[in-house]
Amino acid sequence: MIEDKTPQRTSIAQLGEFGLIDHLTKNFEINQPSTLKGIGDDAAVLDFKDKKVVVSTDLLIEGVHFDLAYMPLKHLGYKAVVVNVSDICAMNAKPTQITVSVAVSNRFPLEALDELFAGITHAAREYNVDVIGGDTTSSQKGLIISITAIGEADAEEIVYRNGAKETDLLVVTGDIGAAYMGLQVLEREKQVFQVNPNSQPDLDAYTYLIERQLKPEARKDVRTLLHALEIKPTSMIDISDGLSSEIMHLCKQSKVGCNLYEDKLPIDPTFINVCEEFNIDSTTVAINGGEDYELLFTIAMEDFEKIKANPNFTIIGHMTQKSEGIHLVTRANTKIALKARGWDALTE
């Protein structure tokens, strides 16, 4: 098949704001019974009856949170939804609706926004959330995406960051660190391309890591898994900024300390191999990487037997008295004070 070297580029200005909104939102469906009115009025109308509502908002800015040199727009749309849904899952709630706002510069044709919204639409279907509104405007700085996620839960189901107790076990889902190393691979290939635009990267060996970076998944399954095990976490947070940062959030808000064990960290073999390739310490990356969107939570010691053999969860430490501090216990059984070196958008 001959590649089309002159793909269609439809100016957004041809549609106008309201024509653009109609075009971008035509594929969104309403599936949640709590959505009384979605897109098309001055505001959405939701009916949660006896449920509690949880709301979270994230802002993604080109050049700060993503690089379109290697982030396909469809993947970006999908990821933008996932990172917000993950916040709802971290409250032990069920995500139900999202709003989507975009600011876009004139370098993006309509076809580019179609790709972005195809990813958003796919994620909305995958996570069964209704897109119920948002906003569009122009930008002089590239692409900006803001998504607000809404969820529901019974009052007794909601889990906060401040409920961890001394002796509670610290648990994490999945594996950690892979998303950060996927980013390192992509950044390296970008630099190679800038030097030699004719180079063709061979990324087969890095598929898992790159997918964790470009197309992460929110752990919507954890709420159901924990309910089946008859476990309610005492505190919970998602791992967006790095394990060390998230542990410190839990400890600070729960007024406890923590011992994190290096030899318990769940890391993928591919991740270890690529850390060696880049000459980076795997433990440093695993605890500081970020963007894994796994869930970190604490459970009462009495729930150990319920969770110990479950392949979805790994016990990586335990909480202590606040006075004992927050430490990483190395494989050599040495205690090192844990510091938050994860992602911070406001630092250079």
Side-chain angles (χ1 to χ4, degrees):
M1 181 179 291
I2 299 174
E3 182 181 358
D4 184 0
K5 299 295 184 181
T6 57
Q8 182 180 1
R9 289 177 60 88
T10 305
S11 170
I12 293 173
Q14 289 179 337
L15 283 78
E17 180 181 0
F18 299 113
L20 176 62
I21 292 171
D22 289 341
H23 178 87
L24 294 177
T25 61
K26 64 187 178 187
N27 293 322
F28 293 137
E29 303 169 347
I30 298 300
N31 296 300
Q32 295 290 338
S34 53
T35 306
L36 299 185
K37 178 65 177 179
I39 296 168
D41 218 304
D42 287 321
V45 180
L46 309 179
D47 179 12
F48 288 96
K49 296 183 172 65
D50 297 327
K51 299 284 186 179
K52 300 300 180 184
V53 180
V54 293
V55 182
S56 179
T57 297
D58 267 321
L59 191 64
L60 300 177
I61 300 175
E62 183 179 356
V64 178
H65 300 99
F66 59 88
D67 187 337
L68 291 178
Y70 48 72
M71 169 64 85
L73 285 165
K74 189 171 183 179
H75 284 71
L76 176 61
Y78 190 92
K79 183 174 180 177
V81 175
V82 165
V83 301
N84 285 274
V85 166
S86 181
D87 284 334
I88 303 302
C89 295
M91 300 295 294
N92 202 37
K94 172 190 173 186
T96 49
Q97 288 91 5
I98 59 172
T99 65
V100 179
S101 297
V102 296
V104 61
S105 72
N106 59 10
R107 88 172 198 268
F108 292 91
L110 177 62
E111 288 74 19
L113 284 184
D114 279 341
E115 279 293 294
L116 178 71
F117 272 73
I120 292 171
T121 302
H122 180 51
R125 290 171 178 162
E126 181 69 23
Y127 288 93
N128 194 28
V129 293
D130 294 338
V131 183
I132 59 168
D135 194 15
T136 57
T137 189
S138 60
S139 165
Q140 295 181 346
K141 298 294 184 182
L143 180 60
I144 301 171
I145 307 170
S146 177
I147 291 184
T148 296
I150 301 164
E152 66 177 34
D154 293 332
E156 63 272 14
E157 293 178 313
I158 297 176
V159 178
Y160 301 93
R161 296 180 181 182
N162 63 359
K165 304 291 190 296
E166 299 170 16
T167 75
D168 278 359
L169 301 176
L170 185 65
V171 185
V172 70
T173 63
D175 60 83
I176 55 177
Y180 179 85
M181 288 313 297
L183 179 62
Q184 301 315 299
V185 171
L186 291 167
E187 286 285 353
R188 181 184 66 183
E189 295 306 320
K190 175 187 173 182
Q191 292 170 15
V192 170
F193 177 80
Q194 288 172 339
V195 173
N196 179 15
N198 293 319
S199 66
Q200 294 293 322
D202 181 5
L203 300 176
D204 287 348
Y206 311 105
T207 300
Y208 178 68
L209 306 184
I210 291 173
E211 185 173 90
R212 291 282 281 175
Q213 170 59 219
L214 296 184
K215 190 178 177 290
E217 299 291 353
R219 295 304 303 260
K220 65 177 182 178
D221 58 326
V222 169
R223 184 171 183 260
T224 302
L225 289 168
L226 291 174
H227 181 76
L229 293 170
E230 298 182 341
I231 294 174
K232 181 187 176 182
T234 53
S235 67
M236 190 186 295
I237 191 171
D238 78 330
I239 305 176
S240 55
D241 299 327
L243 180 66
S244 58
S245 294
E246 315 305 2
I247 288 174
M248 296 189 79
H249 283 312
L250 293 184
C251 288
K252 180 180 179 181
Q253 296 203 26
S254 295
K255 298 180 173 58
V256 294
C258 180
N259 284 331
L260 170 68
Y261 292 88
E262 182 182 19
D263 62 351
K264 301 297 184 183
L265 295 174
I267 48 182
D268 187 83
T270 304
F271 164 78
I272 297 173
N273 293 338
V274 177
C275 284
E276 291 175 352
E277 180 183 336
F278 277 72
N279 196 27
I280 300 176
D281 179 67
S282 60
T283 297
T284 300
V285 175
I287 66 176
N288 296 308
E291 289 202 294
D292 293 307
Y293 299 104
E294 296 292 345
L295 294 181
L296 176 73
F297 58 93
T298 54
I299 62 172
M301 183 72 77
E302 301 81 65
D303 288 330
F304 170 73
E305 293 295 330
K306 299 177 184 177
I307 207 170
K308 67 175 183 178
N310 194 295
N312 295 285
F313 308 116
T314 304
I315 299 170
I316 58 173
H318 62 87
M319 315 314 277
T320 64
Q321 293 182 358
K322 181 180 179 181
S323 60
E324 293 187 27
I326 307 169
H327 293 93
L328 172 70
V329 181
T330 70
R331 292 185 178 89
N333 205 32
T334 301
K335 277 190 174 184
I336 301 173
L338 198 64
K339 295 181 179 180
R341 293 192 176 95
W343 165 254
D344 186 341
L346 300 183
T347 59
E348 293 288 333

